[in-house]
Structure formats: C-alpha cells, structure tokens
Amino acid sequence: MRIYLSFTIAASKMFFRRKSSIFWSLFFPVVTMLVLGNAGFIGYSAPNVGLFSTTANEIIDELKSSKSITIREYQSKDNALEALEKGTLSALITLNPDSKFIVTTRDGDLAEKEVVENFVFRIINQDIDPINNVSSDIAKMNYQGYKGFIVPGIAAMAIMQNGIFSVVFTLLSYKNQGVLKRLKAAPISPSHFIVGHLISRVSIIILQTFILLIMGVFVLGVSVGQGSFLAWLNILFLSFLGGILFLAIGLAISSLAPNEDSAPALANLVTFPMLFLSGVFFPIDFLPKIISYISNILPLTHLAEGIRLSALYGNSTFSTIPQLGITFAWLALSFFICAISFKWE
Amino acid sequence: MEMIKVLNLKKNYDDFEAVRGIDFSVTEGEVFGLLGPNGAGKTTTVEILEGLIEPSSGTATISGLDVVKNSKNVKKMIGVQLQSVNFFEKLNLFEIIDLFATLYSSTVNPDLILERVDLKKKRESYFKTLSGGQKQRLSIAVALVNDPKVLFFDEPTTGLDPQARRNLWDLIKSFQKEGKTIMLTTHYMEEAEELCDRVAIIDEGKIIKIDSPSNLIDELTLSGFKSQKKIKDATLEDVFISLTGKSLRED
C-alpha cells in the first residue's frame, strides 16, 4: 500500500514540475475552449431546420427541395424537439393533419424565428393564406449556443489527450532512459509502478475536467450541471471512467508500438480521428451514415455525449447502458492488450 | 562461505548464445571482477544474478537462494548499479532515494545515504543536472538503501575522469571493508588490479580463466612473456593526478 502511495505522489510531483505537461493538459485546452467559445460560430445554429409531419402533403417536397435552408425530417416530435434543444436544429416546422404549420423556435432566438417563418410563408403563399395557417411557437429551452456545446466537448477532449499522451510519453521516456529497468531490479511487481502512475493521472484528469468546466461557467457564462448535484457527481464519475479508459488505451499503445518513434505516431493516429468524429467541436448528428457508424463505436463520442448531457441538461443517469457498454468494451480490450504485451525494456 | 554460486549458466537469444555455460563462485566479503571485451556476456551474467533476465538453463544462487525461483528475496538483499541507468527526471536526489527506500521497505534516512556518497549538498538537485561521476554515485547510493549484503557494479567508472574514478574506487573499497560482497564488471585492467580479489576473464560467453590478478600476471610472466613497453616507476595517470590533484572537480 505504501508503495502505491509513494509512486502516486512521485508521479504527481513530476507532473506538476514539468512545464510541458501543465501546458498541454491545462493551458492549451483552456485557451482553445475560451477562443472557440467566444468566437460563437454563427454557422453552427443556422443551417438545419427540422420538419415533423403527420400527413403527406406536396408542400413537404417543396420545403425539402429548397436550397436556402437544409430540412431534416423527423419521425417523432420528441426527437425533433430534443435536436432543437441540443442546437443541432435552429427551428422546427410542424405540419399538422389539418394542414396548418407551426414554426417552433427557441426562446430568445428572434432572428431564427423570423427567417424560418418567412421561408415558410414564401413556400406556401401561392396556394394558401399564410396568416391563418402558420402559427409560431416559442419553446423555453436550455440552449446555450456553441459555447454550451464546446465546453463539455473540450473537457472530454482533454481527458483523452491527457490520458493517452501522459502514458505514451512518460512511459516511453522512462523506458528509454532505463528507469523502468532499474525499477525491475527492485523487489516489487510492475503493477505497483503502473497503478501508482495511473492513480496520479486519473486524479489530475478529474482536476483538469473540473477546472475546464468551472472556467466555462465563470469565463464563458455557460451554466453547467443545471443546479443538480447528481449531474456534477455524474461528471466526476465520467471523468474518472474516461480517464481510466484513455490511460488504458495509452498503455496499450505503448505496449503495442514496435519502437520508440512509432508510439507517438500511433497515439496521434488513434486520437486525431476522434477529435473530429466524436462530437467534440461540432455535432455528429448529420454526419454521413457510414461515418456515423464509426462515430458511434468511438469511446470519445460517448464520453463527450455523457459529459454534455450532465453539464447542459443536468442529466444524472450514468449515461445510457449501451454507451457505457462500448466504453467498457474498449477498456477491457486495452487492458487485455497491456496484459499480453507490456514490456519493461 | 559462498555468497554467489553459478553453475553451468546459459543464456540464448534466439540463435545467439550470449552466455555458454559458465561456472564460478564468489565468497563472502570478496571483490570479484568480470573482465571481458564488449559482447563477451558480462552484463548478461550480472543481469541474470540481479533477477532482470532469466537464464536459458543452469542455476545461480545468492546466499543459497535461487535467483529465478526466489527472485524477490534475492532482490531484497542485493544492491544494484546498472550500466547507463537514469532516474526520474523531475525528482530531486532526496526524493529518489526516499522512493527507492520505500520500494525496498527500508526506513533509512536518505540524507545519510547521500552523505555516504558525498552528494548531501546536491539533495535538492535533479538527476539530469549531475555530472557523470555524481550520477554514478547516486546510482550507488540507490543501491545502498536496503543495506545489501551483495553489491553489483556494472562498469561503474566508464567515461569518468581520473579523479572521479579514484573517488569511486575509494567508495567501493569502503564497502569491502564493511564486509560486503562485491561483483564488478569493467573494461579497465588497472581498475580490476586495484579493486578485485579475484577476476574471471570471459570471452564469447565462456570463462577462460579465474584467479587473482597477481597470480594471473605471474603465470603470464613465468611463461616467458615480456612486456614490449619498458615499465617505469610511474604511469601517465600518476603524472596527471600529481599535476591536477585528487580532489573532485564537479562539486
């Protein structure tokens, strides 16, 4: 027990004494988050308008063929409203059986309301009287714009980067310098060193997640957790789980890499696609189908989604079971690879 | 008493035979040297004894304990200085000794160990800021945390200046005075002559000869060997030391 503790303390001291580790795990994600959060990409909320219809109507085809606005058709009104709340839609057009339109926009999004209403008027005004057939509906929603999207996204990204790279680079340098070999000459088992290192890194990852979210609250004005203590607890659980998962992936990468030059390359090969396909910087809802299959098996997708649900909607359920299942499958795979191929030298 | 005993020890790497069946024993309190050219199998032999690699066949025991079957207990009673080793970059010397003391379940005061190897002043420094001689002394300090019965030194003075080398010799002699058994590998014959009670000359994985340095020299001269060089009363190293002094330059 004392040995685990000593390794944990030593690994933590070394982390905080290394300027580059502070830069990459704290400074860099904080700056990225603040810059992107303040930029508030307008394009993010403009292009997609949802359509929910319970009747067949030729106007629907007309709406869908429009080039000025991208129409996404939904089979369920709840799904469509959820997409509106998440920000993947900027407005929702509902066509009722009586051929009346309702344009739903979020509370406060006056520009979207006007644009989409005008659009609907323009499409239908040749045939029917717009005033009596189009009504608007303001939905009160906790939508926080792009900054609300990017804060949990960057927090998830930072968990992945810190988890993978802190293992790949530190283990690699210890290995190259012969530090691990000297440890092997001591009467301890390898697990002492590895576990101590992992405990230290997981604690740092949790700390980093909370620093990022709290910066999001105070600097960007994003509301996180929605006053739910359980939501924060869930974020704690998710950053712990995500930390363990990506540390294990980092360990697997360092075990699999044939030599010292290939390990960082392999780590980049693993992390780079996830940065873009896991909903860190932009939503994955409308990715082409084949890519969305890939997105859905990537662990970062589920981590980012889980943190986002807790942060923005106060969701306290430990994400959904299939998502956790995928995370645990990756975890098991990584530990399996480490167990069969970890080398001291 | 035989402290180290090696019987028909072999180590193969794929189709390369690094160690081809060697036998030797080291008595308690002895300084035993392994001499040989690069690739002769010195480090492989030492690392088998240290429990870092497993032999392909044969046995090795330290104080009666098998180094493979009883690896953990062997590691507890030996002190190890590896060839070209590094320590954690961002820990200071005190913290490094303290960490290793924990690994050996030892309650030794790190400052006393650092004082022993003349590194007390450097207790707050990081490993990478040390000179070559200081790094070797730290490596030896780490080997002392468990007050070992047997010490292994793998090329401890390679790359050091004459002052630092002599300083390390004095340190190794002081361990011998305490009754520790020492096994040492080196390329430097004058070092073996200065420190070792007996040496084994090893080449291509086999021991060619084991005896004390003076017996080995006598044997060669009795066979009619004459040195090409006229042996003078002093060496160039003596000149160097007398001109530059014995004190260490790095501190």
Side-chain angles (χ1 to χ4, degrees), chain A residues 2-3 6-7 10 13-14 17-18 174 177-179 181-188 193 345, chain B residues 47 52 72 75-76 80 82 85-92 95 99-100 102-104 126 142:
Chain A
R2 258 196 76 202
I3 296 174
S6 297
F7 273 130
K13 273 182 187 164
M14 288 186 273
R17 285 173 186 174
R18 201 180 299 273
Y174 294 159
Q177 295 164 1
V179 177
K181 191 173 178 184
R182 182 60 190 84
L183 289 177
K184 198 187 171 193
I188 53 161
F193 169 70
E345 292 167 52
Chain B
E47 288 188 352
L52 290 171
K72 205 167 174 179
K75 285 174 179 174
K76 275 183 189 164
V80 169
L82 299 173
V85 79
N86 273 292
F87 290 93
F88 296 109
E89 259 183 22
K90 293 284 177 181
L91 290 184
N92 65 40
E95 290 165 336
L99 177 65
F100 274 90
T102 314
L103 305 189
Y104 284 88
Y126 290 146
V142 169

Side-chain angles (χ1 to χ4, degrees), chain B residues 63-123:
Chain B
S63 191
L65 298 174
D66 188 287
V67 296
V68 179
K69 291 177 201 140
N70 242 320
S71 163
K72 205 167 174 179
N73 288 323
V74 168
K75 285 174 179 174
K76 275 183 189 164
M77 67 179 180
I78 64 173
V80 169
Q81 177 262 319
L82 299 173
Q83 207 183 105
S84 73
V85 79
N86 273 292
F87 290 93
F88 296 109
E89 259 183 22
K90 293 284 177 181
L91 290 184
N92 65 40
L93 302 197
F94 182 91
E95 290 165 336
I96 290 171
I97 303 282
D98 195 39
L99 177 65
F100 274 90
T102 314
L103 305 189
Y104 284 88
S105 316
S106 154
T107 51
V108 74
N109 177 357
D111 279 326
L112 290 179
I113 300 235
L114 287 172
E115 193 155 19
R116 180 77 204 269
V117 298
D118 206 10
L119 282 174
K120 184 92 183 285
K121 279 180 288 179
K122 291 275 177 183
R123 72 193 292 278

Side-chain angles (χ1 to χ4, degrees), chain A residues 93-121:
Chain A
I93 302 167
T94 310
L95 178 55
N96 285 335
D98 57 5
S99 294
K100 291 193 171 168
F101 287 91
I102 306 171
V103 173
T104 313
T105 48
R106 288 180 298 255
D107 182 20
D109 288 353
L110 293 173
E112 279 87 352
K113 176 176 180 288
E114 207 178 300
V115 168
V116 177
E117 274 179 4
N118 282 334
F119 169 74
V120 176
F121 287 156

Side-chain angles (χ1 to χ4, degrees), chain B:
Chain B
M1 187 203 142
E2 278 175 345
M3 191 52 114
I4 303 174
K5 189 152 184 60
V6 171
L7 277 176
N8 198 20
L9 197 68
K10 289 183 184 165
K11 178 68 188 177
N12 306 326
Y13 292 101
D14 298 323
D15 51 358
F16 170 68
E17 297 171 281
V19 176
R20 309 178 176 197
I22 59 172
D23 302 271
F24 64 88
S25 59
V26 181
T27 43
E28 191 173 358
E30 191 176 26
V31 180
F32 187 82
L34 267 185
L35 311 183
N38 279 331
K42 302 186 299 287
T43 298
T44 306
T45 306
V46 169
E47 288 188 352
I48 290 172
L49 290 169
E50 291 165 344
L52 290 171
I53 48 184
E54 287 199 5
S56 305
S57 68
T59 58
T61 58
I62 295 179
S63 191
L65 298 174
D66 188 287
V67 296
V68 179
K69 291 177 201 140
N70 242 320
S71 163
K72 205 167 174 179
N73 288 323
V74 168
K75 285 174 179 174
K76 275 183 189 164
M77 67 179 180
I78 64 173
V80 169
Q81 177 262 319
L82 299 173
Q83 207 183 105
S84 73
V85 79
N86 273 292
F87 290 93
F88 296 109
E89 259 183 22
K90 293 284 177 181
L91 290 184
N92 65 40
L93 302 197
F94 182 91
E95 290 165 336
I96 290 171
I97 303 282
D98 195 39
L99 177 65
F100 274 90
T102 314
L103 305 189
Y104 284 88
S105 316
S106 154
T107 51
V108 74
N109 177 357
D111 279 326
L112 290 179
I113 300 235
L114 287 172
E115 193 155 19
R116 180 77 204 269
V117 298
D118 206 10
L119 282 174
K120 184 92 183 285
K121 279 180 288 179
K122 291 275 177 183
R123 72 193 292 278
E124 308 286 341
S125 308
Y126 290 146
F127 181 74
K128 66 172 177 188
T129 65
L130 301 182
S131 70
Q134 289 171 330
K135 283 180 176 170
Q136 285 298 12
R137 290 197 326 259
L138 178 78
S139 195
I140 289 172
V142 169
L144 296 176
V145 292
N146 55 335
D147 191 21
K149 283 186 185 167
V150 184
L151 280 162
F152 290 92
F153 298 124
D154 198 359
E155 296 187 15
T157 61
T158 299
L160 302 188
D161 70 27
Q163 280 90 355
R165 182 185 304 173
R166 275 156 195 258
N167 171 270
L168 223 58
W169 288 356
D170 290 342
L171 200 58
I172 292 172
K173 284 179 192 164
S174 75
F175 299 140
Q176 189 189 18
K177 279 209 190 82
E178 289 170 19
K180 294 188 191 303
T181 309
I182 295 164
M183 188 157 166
L184 158 98
T185 74
T186 183
H187 287 302
Y188 303 114
M189 296 308 131
E190 73 278 21
E191 180 165 302
E193 215 178 324
E194 175 87 21
L195 297 173
C196 297
D197 298 314
R198 282 190 310 141
V199 297
I201 295 175
I202 179 169
D203 194 18
E204 293 181 337
K206 281 185 171 159
I207 290 181
I208 308 171
K209 203 98 193 170
I210 303 184
D211 211 332
S212 70
S214 71
N215 284 353
L216 288 170
I217 293 167
D218 289 347
E219 199 182 321
L220 183 66
T221 51
L222 282 175
S223 73
F225 176 86
K226 267 233 170 293
S227 178
Q228 296 294 320
K229 212 169 74 181
K230 205 160 174 255
I231 293 173
K232 297 180 180 173
D233 288 338
T235 64
L236 186 56
E237 184 160 322
D238 294 327
V239 176
F240 182 83
I241 292 289
S242 84
L243 289 174
T244 58
K246 275 189 173 174
S247 64
L248 287 170
R249 296 314 164 84
E250 56 219 11
D251 301 307

Side-chain angles (χ1 to χ4, degrees), chain A residues 105-312:
Chain A
T105 48
R106 288 180 298 255
D107 182 20
D109 288 353
L110 293 173
E112 279 87 352
K113 176 176 180 288
E114 207 178 300
V115 168
V116 177
E117 274 179 4
N118 282 334
F119 169 74
V120 176
F121 287 156
R122 207 178 60 232
I123 299 280
I124 65 175
N125 68 0
Q126 300 104 340
D127 319 315
I128 41 177
D129 164 28
I131 306 300
N132 290 322
N133 287 294
V134 180
S135 61
S136 58
D137 179 20
I138 306 289
K140 249 192 124 39
M141 282 178 168
N142 177 36
Y143 172 68
Q144 307 195 42
Y146 186 63
K147 61 186 181 185
F149 186 86
I150 196 72
V151 168
I154 293 281
M157 176 199 82
I159 291 174
M160 172 179 79
Q161 302 287 68
N162 194 349
I164 291 185
F165 287 102
S166 78
V167 171
V168 171
F169 284 115
T170 47
L171 272 189
L172 208 65
S173 73
Y174 294 159
K175 210 188 254 190
N176 290 342
Q177 295 164 1
V179 177
L180 293 188
K181 191 173 178 184
R182 182 60 190 84
L183 289 177
K184 198 187 171 193
I188 53 161
S189 85
S191 64
H192 285 106
F193 169 70
I194 301 288
V195 170
H197 191 82
L198 295 187
I199 295 173
S200 152
R201 286 302 186 267
V202 166
S203 317
I204 291 167
I205 282 172
I206 292 172
L207 179 73
Q208 162 199 288
T209 307
F210 280 84
I211 289 176
L212 282 166
L213 292 179
I214 288 166
M215 293 287 280
V217 171
F218 287 105
V219 183
L220 291 176
V222 171
S223 127
V224 173
Q226 314 316 315
S228 157
F229 173 71
L230 282 177
W232 282 98
L233 204 63
N234 193 35
I235 291 170
L236 178 74
F237 170 76
L238 288 170
S239 44
F240 171 78
L241 183 69
I244 296 274
L245 169 69
F246 286 110
L247 287 164
I249 292 177
L251 268 179
I253 290 171
S254 9
S255 309
L256 281 183
N259 58 53
E260 52 187 281
D261 300 324
S262 57
L266 200 57
N268 276 313
L269 198 69
V270 169
T271 56
F272 199 70
M274 279 202 266
L275 285 180
F276 296 100
L277 297 179
S278 292
V280 166
F281 297 108
F282 51 85
I284 54 169
D285 305 45
F286 299 131
L287 287 175
K289 204 135 192 103
I290 179 81
I291 296 179
S292 77
Y293 286 131
I294 299 172
S295 286
N296 280 320
I297 58 163
L298 296 176
L300 185 61
T301 307
H302 303 291
L303 182 65
E305 183 69 6
I307 293 178
R308 193 167 284 132
L309 287 174
S310 290
L312 298 185

